[in-house]
Amino acid sequence: MSDDLIPGDESSAADAADAVYRELLERLGEAQPQPRLGATKRALELLGNPESSFAIIQIAGTNGKTSTARMIESILRAHGLRTGLFTSPHLVRFTERIGIDGERISDEAVARNWDDIKPYLAMVDAELTAAGEPALTFFEALTVLGFACFGDAPVDVAVVEVGMGGAWDSTNAADAEVAVFTPIDLDHVQRLGKTIAEIARTKAGIIKPGAQVVSAAQHPDARQAIVDAAAAVDDPAVFEGEEFALVQDAVAVGGQLITVRGRAGTYPELYLPLYGDHQGRNATLAIAAVEAFLGGATQPIAEDVLAEGLTEVASPGRLQLIGTEPTVLVDAAHNPHGAASLVAALGSYFDVDEIAFVVGILQDKDAAGILTTLAPAASGFFFTQSESERAIPAEELSRLAASLDLPASTFADTLDEAAEDARRWAEEAPRRLVVITGSITLVGEAIEVADDREWKATA
């Protein structure tokens, strides 16, 4: 344990956890993943392979990974299992990425486990450097930290979201009992491939011998890649729309009611406190994944377990209300597929006349695709940029929108300014809504700004 960390001293624990994050940031960032597994495996081996002490459900895909992971974890916890949850990226604080039994990991536990693993990370760094390779990256070191924290807790099962791709993602250093695939689309094309088929083959690399494979409905090329990867190791693969399906969903106060046909039974009128048809499909996939983990097609999930698990689920940054008077939502849509789900949800769940989008997008994303997908729902755009060094300048986004003949727009160099302009617009007439979207980084910053400025009216 760090010398300056005093048991019971929350400020010291927070400082120690922040110091861990600073050390992680000194490594190669998440925009520069290394296509390798050996480095992560070597670090885990030196630690005694903590990832082998608990079961793992791993999730790959393009959109919906984090929401689906949270649902799976919540259902498993309601079933009585002690759970770990590993997701990325974070919105506000990096400790959001590691959950223990439904709670963000404590600062003390992060700092203590980091101190435990640092000498072993240094050993691997030295080995890699001597071999002419980059030292462990941010995400590789974070993955090792997450698995160490789960082993230390200890947990019964960890729900692990892939960082990027699948085959060579550092989370794939562990073997999962269940491999879960959310919808696969074009994203990270510079790293993963130019076609859906190429991207899907990379993501299907999480399938290991002995795993059960559960997938959302897929583009035919993605489906074939998953089928081929599963068949190569004689694993069973089941798909949404075939072995399981969302039978019905209906708008409800604060969310929706869904009926799901699982492999082991049908689950009627489950309350899901999240907006959007896509969240109903994510819940359907989560239920099928939990069925696979608990017993496949032979053992239905208890109704009270599902009711509790889904009712308690939350998905920060996904159609999250951060402001009232005027109403402001944030949504982490950062590609055209996510933008399409956002537009569909706004049309179904929010009764408003006009919508303004505050948008910031990162350079490796399909900005034109995102904007043209949002445009049919937009009364106007307020462009800005997050603090990320990969953010597209706000003025450049505004020029792009003009070239695409999109609705009127303005731009501001800071989120604070762009958001305040949008909020003033919303206050000028009734039934107006502001949505901040385009990048997870921007959404995280918006949540902080809203909290600091007290955008939510208090009773």
Side-chain angles (χ1 to χ4, degrees):
M1 184 180 294
S2 175
D3 291 339
D4 62 355
L5 183 56
I6 302 171
D9 187 332
E10 293 184 4
S11 62
S12 294
D15 289 344
D18 289 343
V20 172
Y21 188 47
R22 288 193 296 271
E23 289 188 53
L24 285 166
L25 289 175
E26 292 173 359
R27 298 176 175 273
L28 275 177
E30 290 177 278
Q32 304 175 70
Q34 297 300 299
R36 64 189 184 190
L37 286 180
T40 306
K41 286 186 174 182
R42 174 63 174 152
L44 292 170
E45 178 187 19
L46 291 172
L47 288 167
N49 293 112
E51 79 286 359
S52 66
S53 66
F54 45 84
I56 295 175
I57 298 174
Q58 190 174 20
I59 304 167
T62 302
N63 289 293
K65 295 191 299 294
T66 301
S67 294
T68 303
R70 292 184 181 280
M71 293 177 194
I72 293 171
E73 183 278 332
S74 189
I75 297 169
L76 291 172
R77 183 160 34 88
H79 185 72
L81 296 171
R82 184 166 171 80
T83 57
L85 179 65
F86 187 82
T87 60
S88 63
H90 60 276
L91 291 171
V92 178
R93 203 153 183 271
F94 94 100
T95 49
E96 297 168 19
R97 299 181 184 223
I98 303 173
I100 304 290
D101 223 20
E103 301 290 339
R104 185 177 72 185
I105 192 168
S106 71
D107 292 330
E108 181 276 330
V110 162
R112 172 167 45 78
N113 279 284
W114 180 253
D115 282 349
D116 288 343
I117 72 172
K118 269 176 64 174
Y120 302 98
L121 299 182
M123 290 171 63
V124 178
D125 287 340
E127 293 173 0
L128 291 168
T129 302
E133 294 187 46
L136 288 164
T137 67
F138 173 101
F139 195 70
E140 287 172 331
L142 182 64
T143 299
V144 175
L145 175 61
F147 286 152
C149 290
F150 295 152
D152 175 68
V155 302
D156 299 313
V157 55
V159 182
V160 177
E161 176 187 344
V162 168
M164 184 184 294
W168 44 259
D169 185 80
S170 61
T171 62
N172 205 32
D175 293 338
E177 281 83 348
V178 183
V180 182
F181 295 93
T182 65
I184 296 172
D185 209 328
L186 295 175
D187 199 20
H188 297 296
V189 293
Q190 299 90 339
R191 297 272 179 182
L192 304 180
K194 303 295 185 183
T195 67
I196 289 177
E198 290 176 340
I199 292 171
R201 282 194 290 271
T202 299
K203 293 181 184 292
I206 69 170
I207 298 173
K208 307 286 182 60
Q212 297 189 71
V213 181
V214 181
S215 176
Q218 300 287 357
H219 181 282
D221 292 344
R223 186 188 188 284
Q224 191 61 52
I226 293 169
V227 168
D228 290 346
V233 290
D234 295 324
D235 286 344
V238 298
F239 289 85
E240 176 195 357
E242 300 171 26
E243 289 85 354
F244 62 96
L246 177 63
V247 175
Q248 187 175 14
D249 63 342
V251 176
V253 176
Q256 56 191 297
L257 287 175
I258 62 172
T259 296
V260 174
R261 173 175 59 81
R263 296 171 62 210
T266 296
Y267 310 100
E269 296 191 329
L270 300 167
Y271 178 67
L272 180 66
L274 300 174
Y275 298 110
D277 294 348
H278 61 293
Q279 294 289 22
R281 294 191 296 273
N282 289 340
T284 300
L285 180 61
I287 289 169
V290 173
E291 282 184 329
F293 181 75
L294 295 179
T298 62
Q299 183 62 48
I301 305 170
E303 289 185 13
D304 58 337
V305 167
L306 267 186
E308 178 183 342
L310 291 181
T311 299
E312 293 188 357
V313 78
S315 195
R318 279 73 180 174
L319 279 170
Q320 178 182 351
L321 178 69
I322 64 167
T324 55
E325 300 178 7
T327 302
V328 182
L329 302 174
V330 291
D331 190 85
H334 57 278
N335 53 43
H337 187 277
S341 294
L342 169 59
V343 169
L346 291 172
S348 298
Y349 290 83
F350 297 90
D351 185 18
V352 296
D353 293 335
E354 297 177 273
I355 302 172
F357 291 96
V358 178
V359 179
I361 302 172
L362 300 185
Q363 291 171 351
D364 60 345
K365 301 299 180 180
D366 180 4
I370 293 170
L371 295 180
T372 54
T373 303
L374 294 176
S379 301
F381 288 98
F382 294 81
F383 292 111
T384 187
Q385 59 202 61
S386 70
E387 295 177 359
S388 170
E389 59 185 17
R390 297 188 292 132
I392 298 173
E395 186 174 3
E396 184 178 329
L397 283 176
S398 185
R399 288 197 300 268
L400 174 62
S403 73
L404 296 170
D405 293 325
L406 299 187
S409 70
T410 64
F411 67 89
D413 290 336
T414 67
L415 169 63
D416 209 343
E417 184 180 352
E420 286 304 326
D421 289 345
R423 292 178 77 242
R424 281 193 291 272
W425 167 85
E427 288 172 339
E428 291 173 357
R431 296 172 58 82
R432 283 181 169 180
L433 172 67
V434 174
V435 181
I436 301 175
T437 190
S439 110
I440 296 173
T441 304
L442 187 76
V443 165
E445 292 175 12
I447 291 171
E448 288 191 283
V449 169
D451 185 58
D452 183 61
R453 303 288 191 277
E454 298 182 344
W455 286 358
K456 273 191 177 182
T458 55

